[in-house]
């Protein structure tokens, strides 16, 4: 009679992502690589970009460490000296550590519905602690996913109170990222500055755009041949923040205005989902008014 040997559980490895930007200079890659090597890390993926226009260097490294090696907190301590030496803006996160993403929406639910589905299916490295809306139309959809819904109405007279409530929700849920999934209210300059680099908006056009009401109907009236969408970070300049992703779909004269609306909703959902996924995978770095996207 033979016995089956007992299996021993293997301790998990540490998988992390390091992103950094700094003034371009000699020795950056060597210093980062040496630190990782000296403490037992294996580089799984590495991308870098030297922007000669701004003389800034950008880098993203995904690395792993065998069981018993430094955890993410210890890596942050180890990297601090190198970061200070090269005057870096940097971040280290665990690959599987989800971003806490607050979604804001008004009455158009296509982007929200797409994000909720992708979140539940595990396609996005994020948690959704709450959804905020200035209307109640989409509350049943949100609650069907078991996510808290906050109704925060906004009028010209109550805008400051509404934003104060929004700040409370962001703080209460320890929010890393705010996603404007067709939230049809303009954030104030102060709030945009306070959340700089942490708010992603989807715009109903391959910018520049048809402004005002019914943009797809305006596009139909002009006989456009492309319908697009732009995902960007929010700044005080409306719809002019650093662009993360854009896409278009071809349309033609056979399509009615309602067909353009459906085509636009599909491309909006797709572009916003990509932008959110890249942000939550630490693939997007700010470069002034532009972005570096390690896709």
């Amino acid at each position: 009679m033979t016995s089956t040997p007992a299996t021993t559980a293997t301790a998990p490895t540490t998988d992390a992502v390091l992103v950094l930007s700094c003034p371009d200079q000699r020795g950056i890659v060597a210093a980062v690589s040496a630190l990782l090597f000296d403490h037992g890390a294996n580089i799984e993926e590495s991308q870098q970009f030297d922007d000669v226009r701004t003389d800034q260097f950008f880098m993203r490294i995904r690395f792993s460490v065998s069981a018993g090696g430094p955890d993410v907190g210890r890596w942050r301590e180890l990297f601090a000296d190198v970061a200070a030496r090269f005057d870096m803006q940097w971040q280290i996160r665990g690959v599987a550590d989800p971003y806490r993403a607050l979604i804001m929406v008004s009455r158009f639910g296509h982007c929200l519905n797409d994000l909720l589905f992708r979140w539940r299916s595990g396609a996005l490295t994020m948690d959704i602690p709450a959804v905020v809306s200035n209307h109640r139309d989409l509350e049943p959809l949100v609650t069907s996913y078991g996510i808290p819904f906050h109704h925060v109405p906004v009028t010209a007279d109550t805008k400051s109170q509404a934003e104060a409530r929004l700040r409370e929700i962001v703080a209460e849920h320890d929010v890393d990222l705010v996603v404007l999934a067709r939230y049809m209210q303009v954030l104030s300059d102060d709030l945009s500055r306070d959340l700089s680099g942490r708010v992603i908006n989807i715009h109903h056009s391959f910018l520049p755009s048809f402004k005002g009401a019914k943009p797809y109907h305006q596009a139909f009236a002009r006989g456009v041949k492309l319908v697009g969408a732009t995902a960007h970070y929010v700044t005080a300049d409306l719809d002019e923040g650093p662009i993360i992703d854009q896409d278009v779909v071809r349309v033609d004269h056979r399509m009615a205005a309602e067909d353009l609306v459906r085509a636009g909703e599909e491309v909006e959902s797709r572009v916003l989902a990509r932008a959110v996924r890249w942000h939550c995978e630490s693939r997007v770095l700010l470069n002034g008014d532009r972005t570096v996207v390690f896709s």
Side-chain angles (χ1 to χ4, degrees):
M1 180 176 178
T2 59
S3 60
T4 303
T7 58
T8 57
T10 302
T13 60
T14 294
D15 294 295
V17 174
L18 162 67
V19 290
L20 64 90
S21 63
C22 63
D24 188 33
Q25 53 199 292
R26 290 170 56 88
I28 300 171
V29 175
V32 172
S33 300
L35 177 69
L36 293 173
F37 176 80
D38 289 344
H39 293 86
N42 182 49
I43 295 176
E44 307 285 351
E45 179 184 350
S46 179
Q47 295 172 286
Q48 60 195 61
F49 172 64
D50 178 13
D51 188 349
V52 295
R53 182 180 60 93
T54 60
D55 200 31
Q56 289 286 305
F57 179 81
F58 302 85
M59 193 172 193
R60 179 185 186 272
I61 293 180
R62 174 173 172 163
F63 63 93
S64 62
V65 188
S66 299
D71 61 12
V72 170
R74 178 58 179 151
W75 276 112
R76 291 173 182 145
E77 296 173 356
L78 292 170
F79 195 72
D81 288 342
V82 171
R85 191 193 324 163
F86 291 97
D87 192 22
M88 293 176 177
Q89 299 291 320
W90 61 283
Q91 180 186 73
I92 297 178
R93 291 182 66 95
V95 169
D97 293 345
Y99 278 72
R100 294 181 60 78
L102 175 72
I103 300 179
M104 299 182 64
V105 66
S106 289
R107 284 184 162 135
F108 299 105
H110 52 284
C111 287
L112 171 66
N113 189 52
D114 183 76
L115 289 172
L116 292 176
F117 175 79
R118 292 174 189 268
W119 163 73
R120 172 157 290 179
S121 64
L124 297 172
T125 311
M126 69 179 192
D127 288 333
I128 305 176
V131 171
V132 170
S133 181
N134 54 325
H135 299 282
R136 290 194 176 274
D137 302 53
L138 297 169
E139 185 173 5
L141 172 64
V142 175
T143 55
S144 73
Y145 279 87
I147 298 172
F149 179 89
H150 296 275
H151 178 223
V152 183
V154 183
T155 67
D157 295 332
T158 64
K159 187 175 182 64
S160 60
Q161 295 95 311
E163 289 203 343
R165 175 60 183 140
L166 176 59
R167 289 177 185 273
E168 291 175 356
I169 295 170
V170 168
E172 175 187 346
H173 293 288
D174 194 23
V175 167
D176 300 308
L177 175 67
V178 176
V179 182
L180 306 184
R182 292 308 303 270
Y183 180 68
M184 309 307 289
Q185 293 288 326
V186 178
L187 301 186
S188 70
D189 290 356
D190 286 344
L191 186 59
S192 297
R193 279 190 292 268
D194 292 346
L195 296 176
S196 177
R198 298 170 56 197
V199 184
I200 295 177
N201 184 40
I202 185 67
H203 194 278
H204 54 70
S205 177
F206 188 77
L207 295 174
S209 67
F210 293 97
K211 298 182 182 297
K214 296 189 174 181
Y216 292 113
H217 291 77
Q218 293 182 55
F220 172 74
R222 294 288 297 274
V224 302
K225 298 300 184 282
L226 292 173
V227 167
T230 298
H232 63 94
Y233 288 115
V234 170
T235 65
D237 295 321
L238 180 63
D239 297 326
E240 295 185 13
I243 292 171
I244 305 169
D245 189 38
Q246 295 180 291
D247 203 354
V248 295
V249 60
R250 296 199 65 82
V251 298
D252 61 37
H253 60 278
R254 296 169 295 182
M255 301 175 69
E258 292 74 19
D259 298 321
L260 265 64
V261 171
R262 284 192 292 272
E265 289 178 347
E266 290 176 3
V267 72
E268 287 171 18
S269 300
R270 186 166 66 246
V271 170
L272 180 59
R274 276 202 301 259
V276 170
R277 177 168 61 85
W278 289 342
H279 182 99
C280 292
E281 292 177 356
S282 301
R283 295 184 179 275
V284 187
L285 287 79
L286 284 170
N287 184 18
D289 293 332
R290 297 159 58 91
T291 59
V292 173
V293 182
F294 290 126
S295 59

